[in-house]
Amino acid sequence: MDRTPLEPPPIVVALVGPPKVGKTILMKNLIRNYTRQKLNNIVGPVTVVAGKNKRFTFIECNNDINSMIDVAKVADLVLLMIDASFGFEMETFEFLNICQVHGFPRIMGVLTHMDLIANSKQLKKTKKRLKHRFWTEIYQGAKLFY
């Protein structure tokens, strides 16, 4: 007997990063992009219907080890938020180590707070440095959005 469901399960997208990096803002904008409705406060995971057979569940990860372990086990795609004005933080490396142990989901990096870097030459250097560090941690050619 075939017990596969008619609809596939939603793709779990986790937003991970240190505090004050813009996880909530990105999540609100992603939800608004798919639903064209504004969501003021987010409590828990949010599932969005993106097409006839496509659903996304957005999860915002807290900055503690237990949440990171749960997200690393469940997530299909991780949006790793990185503050460009500060660089990588220890929580980011802890999450990547947890991911290596529990099965690596697809990871995409997102650089935020690039407007705080005033000099364009410094901004270019920072992008290059963070991109190469991101590639050494994940794999060569991993997607990093600016």
Side-chain angles (χ1 to χ4, degrees):
M1 180 176 214
D2 186 20
R3 294 180 188 260
T4 57
L6 297 175
E7 291 182 9
I11 298 169
V12 179
V13 179
L15 285 84
V16 179
K20 303 290 183 197
V21 80
K23 295 185 299 256
T24 307
I25 293 170
L26 179 64
M27 189 167 168
K28 285 180 182 179
N29 286 332
L30 285 171
I31 292 168
R32 189 173 58 197
N33 183 40
Y34 283 110
T35 63
R36 292 173 180 68
Q37 293 178 359
K38 193 172 182 179
L39 198 63
N40 289 330
N41 58 344
I42 298 171
V43 180
V46 177
T47 301
V48 173
V49 178
K52 281 195 172 191
N53 293 325
K54 188 178 282 189
R55 294 179 294 161
F56 294 112
T57 298
F58 296 107
I59 299 174
E60 187 176 345
C61 181
N62 291 335
N63 201 24
D64 60 78
I65 296 292
N66 295 327
S67 298
M68 290 180 185
I69 291 171
D70 293 340
V71 163
K73 290 178 182 177
V74 171
D76 297 316
L77 172 67
V78 173
L79 297 178
L80 191 62
M81 308 285 288
I82 302 160
D83 189 350
S85 64
F86 186 81
F88 286 96
E89 295 189 25
M90 287 306 297
E91 290 88 357
T92 306
F93 295 119
E94 287 174 1
F95 179 74
L96 291 174
N97 287 332
I98 290 168
C99 283
Q100 287 175 350
V101 172
H102 291 287
F104 229 85
R106 290 194 173 109
I107 295 181
M108 300 168 95
V110 179
L111 286 182
T112 59
H113 297 173
M114 293 193 330
D115 54 342
L116 299 177
I117 303 172
N119 190 356
S120 64
K121 198 173 196 179
Q122 184 67 30
L123 179 64
K124 193 173 179 181
K125 276 178 144 177
T126 304
K127 280 183 180 179
K128 189 174 183 179
R129 182 176 47 86
L130 289 174
K131 179 178 72 169
H132 286 294
R133 180 61 195 218
F134 187 69
W135 284 1
T136 57
E137 292 297 323
I138 311 291
Y139 62 87
Q140 288 291 322
K143 286 288 182 188
L144 184 64
F145 291 98
Y146 305 119

